[in-house]
Amino acid sequence: MRISDILAAKQTFSFEIFPPKGELPLEHAHEVANSLAECKPDWISVTFSAGGSGNSANTFAIGRDIERDLGVNALVHLTCMGSTTAEVDANLRKIVDDGVSNVLALRGDRRPGVQTVDFAYASDLISHIKATTPELCVGAACYPEGHVECEDLDRSLDHLYLKQEAGADFLVSQLFFSNDDFYRFRELCLRRRVKLPIVAGIMPFTSVAQIQRMAFTCGASIPSKVVKRLVAAGDDKDAQAQAGLEYAIEQVEDLAANGVDGIHIYSMNRPEIGHATYEALVACGYLGA
Ligand code: FAD
């Protein structure tokens, strides 16, 4: 089913997973997706490494199995940095042949040695998909605090508008730790005529080191209330992760109370994160039991 149709009908709940890294077998992704499917998500998205590096070879197989074996909608990510038009077209054909209807069109993270080839920006990829493969529903990334490479939020919103003009059907946000940033962004989008549904992306922080990495890679700011909770957790790694999960649950409860289009959990291949957020959203009435 097209995600744009689901978003037109209801508020959504979804998860993101990534293909197994290192020595982990492909079956690991199936186990994670299988467990997350118990939470009846509207879709599960699967990441794709930029420039064909890393573990992206398994992205489409995992998406296909989520649709075929679990009966859950898959959203496969596709990056274009470093890709030729022929490579992109081969990937689009594969997605369609696998029976997947939804793709998240991205430029991709910058990686050493990967240069722009045929697509400079995600909006170029979105236009190309719409022109060549109109049967696909196309999502795009958005950044409540502005994209980390962009000088300011205002310019980032100009670039977001280009994604809408290129034909994107919906948006999924970068993670954020202050819901107020998301609400302000939502208002600014409306003022800038970005009218697409915006799904809010939430990632529980797991440690001091991880949240610091996030702040640098995604430009997400860390509010003092998060710092205070991490200070209270001290050096205890389990207490840091527990503080992150509790904080994420408070964020999703607040998002649910503020009428968001959808809530997307960056579940980091840890089904317990998916289950904990699902239970909180059932308890507050955002999701049916
Ligand atoms: P773009 O929209 O192309 O933006 C890239 C930069 O160019 C931004 O600074 C933007 O402001 C600027 N820009 C855009 N258009 C123009 C223009 N016309 N002129 C000048 N500047 C412009 N990365 C992965 O590698 N794999 C994944 O699976 C993945 N999944 C993601 C899922 C979500 C929900 C999100 C939010 C991000 C994800 N990322 C992933 C990270 C993403 O690839 C990076 O944030 C990347 O740096 C930007 O991707 P984009 O698609 O937003 O790019």
Side-chain angles (χ1 to χ4, degrees):
M1 189 172 182
R2 293 169 70 88
I3 287 173
S4 54
D5 290 340
I6 308 174
L7 281 161
K10 67 193 268 283
Q11 292 172 296
T12 61
F13 178 58
S14 53
F15 296 120
E16 178 175 299
I17 66 172
F18 49 81
K21 293 178 178 164
E23 299 297 303
L24 277 174
L26 190 54
E27 286 69 42
H28 179 69
H30 300 310
E31 286 162 24
V32 170
N34 203 26
S35 178
L36 290 172
E38 292 167 11
C39 304
K40 296 171 272 186
D42 292 298
W43 71 85
I44 297 176
S45 72
V46 189
T47 64
F48 186 95
S49 299
S53 61
N55 49 7
S56 53
N58 290 325
T59 297
F60 303 139
I62 296 168
R64 177 200 62 208
D65 293 351
I66 287 171
E67 290 266 352
R68 189 186 61 189
D69 301 341
L70 302 178
V72 173
N73 296 298
L75 169 63
V76 291
H77 296 196
L78 180 64
T79 63
C80 60
M81 192 165 195
S83 299
T84 63
T85 305
E87 286 164 344
V88 164
D89 286 344
N91 282 327
L92 294 173
R93 189 48 41 213
K94 179 138 193 43
I95 292 167
V96 171
D97 289 349
D98 283 344
V100 172
S101 311
N102 302 287
V103 63
L104 191 73
L106 300 148
R107 184 200 68 182
D109 286 325
R110 287 195 179 281
R111 282 169 207 273
V114 178
Q115 304 294 331
T116 296
V117 184
D118 287 343
F119 302 88
Y121 302 111
S123 50
D124 302 327
L125 177 62
I126 296 165
S127 304
H128 182 75
I129 299 173
K130 286 288 165 181
T132 61
T133 327
E135 61 270 46
L136 286 173
C137 176
V138 182
C142 66
Y143 301 89
E145 298 176 76
H147 185 260
V148 68
E149 292 168 30
C150 200
E151 64 260 40
D152 58 35
L153 180 55
D154 202 45
R155 184 52 67 91
S156 201
L157 282 158
D158 289 341
H159 299 151
L160 185 58
Y161 184 74
L162 296 179
K163 293 183 182 184
Q164 176 175 276
E165 289 300 281
D169 295 298
F170 67 96
L171 302 171
V172 183
S173 91
Q174 182 60 280
L175 62 93
F176 52 89
F177 297 108
S178 167
N179 286 7
D180 286 343
D181 287 337
F182 182 79
Y183 302 140
R184 184 175 59 122
F185 172 70
R186 208 168 48 164
E187 287 293 320
L188 286 172
C189 282
L190 282 180
R191 275 194 237 156
R192 302 291 292 269
R193 293 177 294 124
V194 174
K195 295 178 180 159
L196 296 172
I198 307 174
V199 175
I202 295 294
M203 180 188 279
F205 57 85
T206 55
S207 67
V208 173
Q210 182 244 18
I211 200 169
Q212 284 172 338
R213 208 166 46 245
M214 289 297 144
F216 275 88
T217 52
C218 333
S221 43
I222 307 177
S224 61
K225 56 190 172 183
V226 167
V227 174
K228 284 177 183 166
R229 289 186 197 207
L230 281 166
V231 167
D235 292 335
D236 182 340
K237 290 273 184 295
D238 290 340
Q240 291 177 8
Q242 185 58 28
L245 187 53
E246 284 169 14
Y247 187 80
I249 286 173
E250 288 169 31
Q251 278 193 283
V252 299
E253 287 169 344
D254 183 70
L255 291 169
N258 279 279
V260 290
D261 295 319
I263 297 175
H264 184 69
I265 306 295
Y266 293 103
S267 43
M268 299 180 286
N269 288 11
R270 290 177 44 209
E272 69 275 16
I273 289 175
H275 284 264
T277 46
Y278 167 72
E279 280 157 27
L281 288 171
V282 169
C284 74
Y286 179 86
L287 295 174

